[in-house]
Structure formats: C-alpha cells, structure tokens
Amino acid sequence: MLCRVCGRMNREEDLYCGSCGQKLLRARICRVCGTKNRSDSGFCGACGSALPEEPLACSHCGTALGARDHFCAQCGAQVTTGRQCARCHVFNRVDAQFCVVCGSGLAVEVTVG
C-alpha cells in the first residue's frame, strides 16, 4: 500500500507507514463487483453500488465478513442483496438488467431476508 504522504510502498496489512508513521487508508472493496475504491468513496466507481461502512458483520450471528462475502461462513445466511447471474454466479446491483461480468440477462432478484 502506497503512503499518500511520503510515497513509501508498505505491505497490504500495514496500518501505518513504516517510513513516516502516517495512518494508511484502506481501499474500499465493492461487494458487488470487487473493484478497489478510494477509502473516502461512498459509491463504487465501476458499478455505482453503495460501499458499506467497515467492518462488516453477519446480521444473523455477528461473524465478521470479508468484503466479497455473499454468504456467512459461520451460519450460511445470505448477507447481500442483489441479482445473481445464472451464468457466472456474480452478484449484481438490484436494479441491474444485465450481468456486469458476462453480460447475460438477469432474471432472478435475490433478497436478504
């Protein structure tokens, strides 16, 4: 991860720059398309989906979730809302008509419940 103050390249897991001590800003990963966005972004620059506040946790059991998790690894609950592509299984925005990855038409809306 590149420090925005001194330009030093740090490890992805570092929270502070090893050269100047500046807090490193984490990229916000879009839960729909997986694109890395700036830490101060509210919406994904690639697909327009809202970027959730961190940290993410399962609303059913409270287990911590990864940025790209659509189902909880602990209890199996679905944790995202959207349309899942029948062809490539990628989750897309609720209002999407076509898959952002493969372009197939989206017919089934999946809701968290």
Side-chain angles (χ1 to χ4, degrees):
M1 180 175 298
L2 188 66
C3 177
R4 68 186 191 287
V5 173
C6 72
R8 177 187 171 152
M9 183 55 76
N10 294 277
R11 298 174 304 170
E12 278 299 316
E13 60 270 12
D14 290 343
L15 299 176
Y16 295 90
C17 177
S19 180
C20 70
Q22 178 68 33
K23 181 173 175 56
L24 299 171
L25 299 177
R26 296 263 172 247
R28 295 181 77 185
I29 308 295
C30 177
R31 291 179 51 87
V32 173
C33 70
T35 300
K36 283 187 177 183
N37 293 273
R38 288 176 39 137
S39 61
D40 59 352
S41 298
F43 295 88
C44 178
C47 73
S49 296
L51 298 171
E53 294 297 323
E54 299 293 334
L56 301 171
C58 176
S59 59
H60 295 91
C61 70
T63 299
L65 301 169
R68 297 174 122 180
D69 291 348
H70 296 289
F71 297 91
C72 176
Q74 182 67 31
C75 70
Q78 184 177 337
V79 294
T80 56
T81 299
R83 292 181 180 232
Q84 186 175 22
C85 178
R87 182 176 176 195
C88 70
H89 307 290
V90 167
F91 276 77
N92 294 269
R93 291 175 33 172
V94 175
D95 59 345
Q97 297 298 313
F98 297 92
C99 179
V100 295
V101 173
C102 71
S104 293
L106 300 172
V108 179
E109 182 175 338
V110 180
T111 56
V112 175

